[in-house]
Amino acid sequence: MVDYDVMIAGAGTGGATTAYALAKRGHSVLLIDRKERDNIGNKTCGDALGSHHIQELRELVGIPELPKGIVEYQVNGIDLIAPDRDHRLRMEGPTTTGMSFNRLKMGQWFVGLAEEAGVEVMASTRVKKLLFENGKVSGLRIAKDGEADKDLTSRIVVDATGATGMLRMQMPESSPIERQIANEDRMVAWRDIYETPNFDFETPDILEIFWNQDETLGGYTWVFPQGKNRVNVGNGVMTIEGHRNPKDIQYDFVKKTWIDTWGDIKVLDSSGGVAPIRRPIDTMVDDNFMLVGDAACQVNPIHGGGIGSSMLGGAHAGITASEALERNDTSIASLWRYNPRYHKSYGSKQAALDIFRWFLLNITNDDIDFAFKKQIIKASDLLDTSMTGEVRFGAGEKFKRLVAGFGKIPLLLRVSKVANLMNDIRALYAQYPESPKGLASWVSRLKPLYDAAKAV
Ligand SMILES: Cc1cc2nc3c(=O)[nH]c(=O)nc-3n(C[C@H](O)[C@H](O)[C@H](O)COP(=O)(O)OP(=O)(O)OC[C@H]3O[C@@H](n4cnc5c(N)ncnc54)[C@H](O)[C@@H]3O)c2cc1C
């Protein structure tokens, strides 16, 4: 006899969605978070989300409309700004329509939905240890604030603890789950929220992204207005050797770019954060065990957005776990379907964008300025690539870009190489093994593609 069907460590967007999907199907679920109940959802974030994610979630697990008060401002587009600051690309379309929202209220709403569906929420409780029986995951050791440790059992345990993946790291060496995430596959970020009483943002519905390889190598600086007189400003960089401290980058950027224009600013919040920026981990399940959200590396490798994809991961994990519980089989083979389901909806695009990330790391400010100036990059390309994970030009378009890019032919050849590698990785994800048996040989085919991407 176990205490719950499923225990979920972490009540962020990934964990809360998993819990909601399972409880709606009638399973007993315990959702645990170390934060106080009123503070669940509070997180260092850019607070931006594409509307299409909510739509996908509605179709998968039937979440209701977002209540009023969560959305701070409707977002209608994103401006991508070249390092020279003279050129910008406005991206407007279904992927860039979205919202700037209140992170705490969104988190509270999600946990509330899960509770209404029947989930037991245990806040102010730290998950300390993954428990095993006969070598298989069997439960959790938890400690409520001020109380003694307690052991609880369940048929499935879900790690939704965010970027630390603290349960993932406790899996035994014999598990096919990767325990460690390489530094080069992480983004470290700094984010402030300012009130600007003497400055009005004229177009708060347009988010701005500043691209500059000298300042934010492998990342970018964002300026996301949250209305006329409030703004979320931050930057993230890849944690490769010698990277700069994002807090220093932040203050240089704000000082050089905005201090005279914005006038007096009031700092409302200020903090750092980390996110994984790679393909999803190669298997997100083992016997009686699943991972969702940042713990499973379900984050867009280019822009670092992971709220929508963590909810998508949570929905697929919840549906697959429910089917496994109904079959009375929570083995790795029975939970396996979660992997291809997630890959089909987001993971294979993530893997392709991970290839693209390595290409972006190796281009210079000069290349980017040139590409913007000569319109070798167009807003429609970026939208298309961010939506599909593919780089596509028709034959006529290829010729036009070739003419425009005369003088930078090596750059164009590199774009062409990276586009082929992105297609190759998508093809490999379409062949994701149908059972755990095929995993090792499939993984061995991934590495050469990433090695090639790093060398483009
Ligand atoms: C600076 C920054 C800016 C970002 N901006 C955006 C953005 O604008 N848009 C976007 O889509 N994404 C953004 N992201 C990414 C996004 O925040 C994450 O991908 C998303 O929150 C992942 O959700 P999650 O549920 O996996 O993890 P989290 O939201 O991190 O939730 C994990 C939960 O687990 C709990 N927990 C952890 N350890 C324990 C433990 N031992 N015991 C109990 N509870 C535990 C935590 O308290 C937390 O509530 C940003 C990330 C960073 C760092």
Side-chain angles (χ1 to χ4, degrees):
M1 195 56 192
V2 290
D3 297 307
Y4 297 91
D5 286 337
V6 183
M7 285 193 290
I8 301 168
T13 42
T17 311
T18 315
Y20 174 74
L22 277 157
K24 268 192 84 179
R25 284 167 179 72
H27 303 287
S28 63
V29 184
L30 178 67
L31 181 63
I32 309 162
D33 206 289
R34 63 186 174 194
K35 291 179 184 155
E36 287 176 14
R37 175 66 183 80
D38 293 351
N39 199 33
I40 293 177
N42 195 2
K43 186 178 171 181
T44 307
C45 188
D47 306 333
L49 180 67
S51 299
H52 62 101
H53 289 298
I54 299 289
Q55 184 53 35
E56 283 157 4
L57 206 60
R58 186 160 302 134
E59 283 159 21
L60 270 174
V61 288
I63 57 155
E65 289 289 330
L66 281 180
K68 280 206 168 68
I70 291 183
V71 179
E72 305 266 11
Y73 219 89
Q74 179 70 34
V75 172
N76 292 316
I78 300 175
D79 275 359
L80 186 60
I81 295 141
D84 64 11
R85 306 264 180 111
D86 289 336
H87 297 90
R88 61 171 67 207
L89 281 180
R90 170 140 321 163
M91 298 185 281
E92 284 170 308
T95 40
T96 56
T97 304
M99 64 199 86
S100 178
F101 64 94
N102 184 307
R103 193 71 164 82
L104 176 61
K105 283 187 188 163
M106 172 82 98
Q108 289 286 310
W109 180 63
F110 257 100
V111 174
L113 273 186
E115 265 173 336
E116 274 169 35
V119 172
E120 181 182 336
V121 176
M122 201 181 268
S124 306
T125 304
R126 184 170 291 274
V127 172
K128 294 180 81 174
K129 197 169 183 276
L130 197 52
L131 303 177
F132 293 86
E133 196 179 307
N134 301 324
K136 293 183 180 173
V137 171
S138 61
L140 291 172
R141 176 160 303 156
I142 59 166
K144 221 172 162 35
D145 285 353
E147 291 180 16
D149 290 358
K150 192 169 165 185
D151 289 353
L152 293 171
T153 56
S154 62
R155 293 165 75 194
I156 299 174
V157 170
V158 179
D159 184 351
T161 56
T164 57
M166 69 87 74
L167 298 181
R168 187 191 67 223
M169 293 199 294
Q170 295 179 24
M171 289 301 282
E173 254 177 63
S174 55
S175 169
I177 286 175
E178 295 146 86
R179 286 171 299 161
Q180 298 293 341
I181 303 304
N183 275 343
E184 63 183 27
D185 290 333
R186 287 176 194 274
M187 163 194 95
V188 59
W190 190 263
R191 182 286 267 129
D192 295 331
I193 299 180
Y194 303 133
E195 212 171 72
T196 60
N198 304 319
F199 178 83
D200 287 353
F201 285 91
E202 273 171 25
T203 50
D205 62 325
I206 303 293
L207 309 182
E208 288 186 320
I209 286 184
F210 292 80
W211 193 2
N212 188 320
Q213 298 286 77
D214 294 341
E215 286 170 8
T216 46
L217 185 59
Y220 61 89
T221 301
W222 71 82
V223 176
F224 292 175
Q226 296 185 321
K228 283 218 172 294
N229 301 103
R230 206 174 72 200
V231 64
N232 179 319
V233 186
N235 74 85
V237 291
M238 250 167 93
T239 48
I240 44 176
E241 219 182 302
H243 73 84
R244 285 184 65 200
N245 178 337
K247 191 173 175 182
D248 296 341
I249 300 171
Q250 178 91 343
Y251 294 123
D252 278 359
F253 177 86
V254 172
K255 222 187 310 170
K256 274 192 224 142
T257 317
W258 290 118
I259 217 81
D260 294 335
T261 331
W262 288 351
D264 283 340
I265 48 175
K266 189 171 159 202
V267 182
L268 301 180
D269 195 30
S270 192
S271 50
V274 177
I277 42 162
R278 51 162 273 181
R279 66 182 190 275
I281 56 169
D282 296 329
T283 170
M284 303 181 286
V285 299
D286 198 344
D287 290 316
N288 313 334
F289 187 65
M290 304 176 93
L291 294 117
V292 300
D294 283 11
C297 297
Q298 292 170 342
V299 177
N300 183 307
I302 301 297
H303 57 59
I307 298 170
S309 39
S310 71
M311 296 191 297
L312 202 57
H316 286 303
I319 293 166
T320 312
S322 167
E323 291 166 355
L325 288 164
E326 275 156 24
R327 280 193 297 270
N328 202 19
D329 177 3
T330 54
S331 66
I332 181 170
S334 181
L335 296 173
W336 192 254
R337 247 188 113 187
Y338 169 44
N339 287 316
R341 273 179 171 161
Y342 178 76
H343 294 153
K344 197 164 171 221
S345 65
Y346 203 81
S348 82
K349 175 177 110 174
Q350 242 185 277
L353 292 177
D354 193 5
I355 294 271
F356 200 54
R357 167 171 78 100
W358 286 103
F359 165 71
L360 292 181
L361 182 72
N362 290 325
I363 59 175
T364 63
N365 275 353
D366 187 42
D367 288 338
I368 305 169
D369 288 336
F370 182 86
F372 270 64
K373 199 157 74 191
K374 298 283 182 178
Q375 295 197 3
I376 297 166
I377 308 177
K378 291 190 177 163
S380 53
D381 305 335
L382 293 175
L383 280 176
D384 199 36
T385 303
S386 71
M387 194 65 185
T388 62
E390 285 178 71
V391 179
R392 290 185 290 216
F393 305 134
E397 194 56 30
K398 254 187 200 158
F399 181 72
K400 269 199 253 161
R401 307 283 175 100
L402 207 61
V403 172
F406 192 72
K408 285 269 183 192
I409 299 296
L411 176 65
L412 292 183
L413 290 176
R414 284 165 63 203
V415 172
S416 165
K417 261 194 207 163
V418 84
N420 289 338
L421 285 168
M422 288 168 77
N423 288 340
D424 291 349
I425 203 125
R426 288 169 62 83
L428 188 54
Y429 267 74
Q431 295 164 29
Y432 188 81
E434 282 170 14
S435 78
K437 276 191 200 130
L439 184 68
S441 99
W442 181 82
V443 170
S444 71
R445 293 162 66 198
L446 280 171
K447 196 175 173 300
L449 294 179
Y450 282 102
D451 287 345
K454 287 174 189 177
V456 167

